[in-house]
Amino acid sequence: MSMKVVIIGGVAGGATAAARIRRLDEQAEIVVFERSGYISYANCGLPYYISGAIDDPEELTLQTPESFFSRFRVDMRVLHEVTAIHPEKKTVSVKKLATGEEFEEGYDKLILSPGAHPTQPRLPGAGLDKLFTLRTVEDTFRIKNYVDACRPRSAVLAGGGFISLEVAENLRELGMEVTIVQRPRQLMNPFDPDMASFIHAEMRKHGIRLALGHTVEGFAEKDGGVDVLLKDSLPLHADMVVLAIGVTPESALAKDAGLELGVKGSIVVNDRMETSIPDIYAVGDAVQVKHFVTGEAAVISLAGPANKQGRIAADNICGGDSRYRGSQGSSVIKVFDMTAASTGLNETNARKSGIDCDKVILSPMSHAGYYPGGRLMTMKVVFEKETFRLLGAQIVGYEGVDKRIDVLATAIRAGLNATELKDLDLAYAPPYSSAKDPVNMAGFMIENLKNGLVKQWYLEDAEGLPRDGSVTLLDTRTPAEYASGHMDGFSNIPVDELRERLGEVPAGRPVFLICQSGLRSYIAARILISHGFDCYNFAGGFRFYETVKNERCLIEQAAPCGMDQ
């Protein structure tokens, strides 16, 4: 007798599982219930449809129920909502949304792929019709139709994650005034505040207004638009508002069925994607996973993990033994002309997890400097002190960012030590890279730290450095660079003049060095160390310091209404 598998939810995890089960078992009966009208759609592409970057709505639909049936003989039922799971009877209750008709469907194996829904704050005015969320194809059409019909001139986006930034960019491309408001004082949680500064600068450069550190207290209709009410500040007014304050696992069905729940109400599964009740599996944004680096329980809503989990559940249902090893949150986002990417743990979360960590910050070129078109990127690599275990990385730049983050993500997954990055044999030709690839460079820098060739000082030390002459503060850039801006209290000796001017560096005092990127000051440190000086090199260089400091000033000085440019 053939096995019957019921899958709740399509999109990434459910559709992947359905196709994989069919590839492994031609006899299985497979039924998918999807509440929305779309069975398998590119939800990561939804923001780009709003601006017309993706102009054909059919491009968003990866499969239709008909195409899925003709290829995989999977019974895909859209506009069907599962209202209850009955594990003791091995059935689910289903409501046909078009007619309201209800029925029960039996299963041998059940896969939950319900995803997550946009977090809806319990705030006054949260139901207004000019308030939008973006999760489904229907949500996208609703926003697109409103934009096309009403030609709104302004929008406020609540939240500062992936969806918010992508929607902000796409609305800005349509010529709208866009403001992002949120409680944290930075956009993009996967990034540390220092690295997020580069994302902020790019957003501001393209006219996006940032109202960071503001708490939204409600919404009110006013003058044909919406007032976003802020705590301790004047309201922000716009023609439309998009709520993008995160997602919440869709786990009500699982809870009612008695399945064990975990972090943020997510569904607890083991590494075979099995829930606490036999023959019920769960995958995707609704499940609790193990963070690959820390081993801690986490909820990581990304398409890559959802697809892998769908495949793993299918393998196990069909008699295999596949296991999910954990998520490390590798991600990349287009921010206007820039690319920002991260993997593993950032410094903030490493410290929260109680890990004693260190970091290197570098500004390599995307490819050989002599080949035209190279652009600087800023890389931050975080590792554990003493053990030099690689914990995570963040990169902000232009071309070549995605390539480097994928190499670093692979290195973390393979358990490479941070110093072993220097040994990676990476492809080089002048249009693509440098003979010392940025990833190799990070490895060289970490090895220098390990071997005691250099010691570092950091952005967070800048304010507290003594300016009383007890330490020497030295900027090793050219006089022209120094004149165009330097850190308070630093004197200037260019690295190429240092050997001749050693007499100007007082003996017996620690020397704190800085240059534009950290390279010339490292060379200066090596010269001084060979003459018996105790030296510290600034991690990131003046370019990094200036970007972060300027951004922090803008956040501090934000006008009462938060509408700073």
Side-chain angles (χ1 to χ4, degrees), residues 505-533:
V505 186
R509 296 181 196 166
V511 184
F512 289 80
L513 295 147
I514 192 168
C515 72
Q516 194 66 8
S517 71
L519 180 59
R520 284 173 287 174
S521 48
Y522 164 62
I523 294 164
R526 292 303 309 150
I527 293 168
L528 291 168
I529 288 164
S530 71
H531 287 89
F533 288 90

Side-chain angles (χ1 to χ4, degrees), residues 408-430:
L408 287 157
T410 305
I412 291 171
R413 184 65 51 154
L416 291 191
N417 215 286
T419 54
E420 290 179 292
L421 296 176
K422 73 185 192 324
D423 302 322
L424 292 174
D425 199 332
L426 303 171
Y428 160 60

Side-chain angles (χ1 to χ4, degrees), residues 221-234:
E221 283 192 70
K222 190 174 178 195
D223 303 334
V226 184
D227 266 3
V228 179
L229 310 174
L230 304 180
K231 185 178 179 182
D232 304 328
S233 191
L234 297 171

